[in-house]
């Protein structure tokens, strides 16, 4: 099987999606950031020196999704219709789980935008509380689901 991002001379290329029909496409990704009790408490109580961590992480996740094609070389620039973010508190492990869903009507998928949004959002949390805990750990950045396109639906098994 030939890789789609290599041409017949094994040179990198961006896939030509012009023959494809646009479809509604949605992708959701998630990831977890684990931290110390002090860092978790500072985020929950909004006592960090850099401002509101959760709200800033959500804005960063949206920006990350929008900038994906500038960061990942073979990603197409997409006209994103919407980005939804949700952050779940996991107090039993002093962690937060970030979900990012991205929606478009287009010719290529939005999995990378959702995954990039999660990554940038979690990195923003790290940046904002690293003075309290430099040992935070970002884990389990995964695609949760996707719809639309030739490959159809995907749902991560639990």
């Amino acid at each position: 099987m030939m890789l789609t991002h290599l041409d017949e001379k094994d040179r990198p290329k961006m896939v030509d999606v012009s023959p494809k029909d646009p479809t509604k496409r949605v992708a959701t990704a998630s990831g977890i950031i684990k931290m110390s009790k002090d860092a978790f408490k500072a985020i929950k109580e909004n006592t960090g020196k850099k401002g509101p961590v959760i709200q800033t992480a959500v804005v960063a996740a949206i920006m990350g999704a929008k900038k994906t094609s500038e960061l990942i070389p073979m990603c197409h620039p997409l006209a994103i219709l919407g980005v939804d973010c949700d952050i779940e508190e996991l107090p039993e492990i002093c962690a937060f789980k970030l979900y990012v869903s991205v929606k478009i009507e287009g010719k290529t998928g939005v999995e990378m935008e959702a995954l990039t949004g999660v990554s940038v959002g979690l990195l923003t949390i790290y940046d904002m509380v690293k003075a309290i805990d430099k040992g935070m750990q970002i884990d389990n950045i995964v695609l949760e689901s996707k719809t639309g396109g030739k490959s159809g639906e995907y749902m991560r098994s639990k």
Side-chain angles (χ1 to χ4, degrees):
M1 178 173 108
M2 189 169 155
L3 296 174
T4 59
H5 287 86
L6 294 176
D7 68 13
E8 62 281 345
K9 295 180 183 174
D10 285 336
R11 292 180 302 205
K13 71 171 186 173
M14 186 178 219
V15 174
D16 179 4
V17 296
S18 61
K20 291 181 166 185
D21 291 325
T23 61
K24 179 181 175 190
R25 297 163 185 259
V26 179
T28 301
S30 69
I32 296 173
I33 185 165
K34 298 175 187 172
M35 62 198 64
S36 68
K37 287 180 182 175
D38 289 342
F40 186 78
K41 181 179 175 190
I43 291 171
K44 279 190 56 136
E45 295 177 0
N46 202 18
T47 58
K49 294 179 181 175
K50 291 189 176 183
V53 175
I54 298 300
Q55 295 89 326
T56 306
V58 167
V59 171
I62 293 166
M63 290 176 69
K66 290 168 49 176
K67 296 283 189 179
T68 299
S69 68
E70 295 174 35
L71 299 168
I72 309 294
M74 301 303 172
C75 285
H76 293 81
L78 301 177
I80 293 175
L81 299 175
V83 179
D84 289 318
C85 300
D86 188 34
I87 296 185
E88 179 183 348
E89 291 180 10
L90 304 173
E92 64 282 358
I93 58 171
C94 293
F96 293 91
K97 185 170 187 177
L98 172 61
Y99 295 88
V100 176
S101 294
V102 182
K103 181 181 0 178
I104 67 162
E105 176 121 0
K107 297 182 175 201
T108 189
V110 289
E111 296 92 334
M112 293 307 300
E113 286 71 15
L115 289 161
T116 301
V118 167
S119 300
V120 172
L122 294 176
L123 286 168
T124 298
I125 293 172
Y126 185 98
D127 177 55
M128 293 187 74
V129 292
K130 67 182 182 273
I132 299 169
D133 179 11
K134 289 182 182 21
M136 286 177 282
Q137 184 174 332
I138 295 173
D139 283 325
N140 302 327
I141 297 175
V142 297
L143 180 66
E144 294 285 349
S145 63
K146 63 119 356 236
T147 61
K150 188 170 79 173
S151 65
E153 294 194 15
Y154 167 80
M155 180 68 69
R156 175 167 290 284
S157 57
K158 300 286 178 192

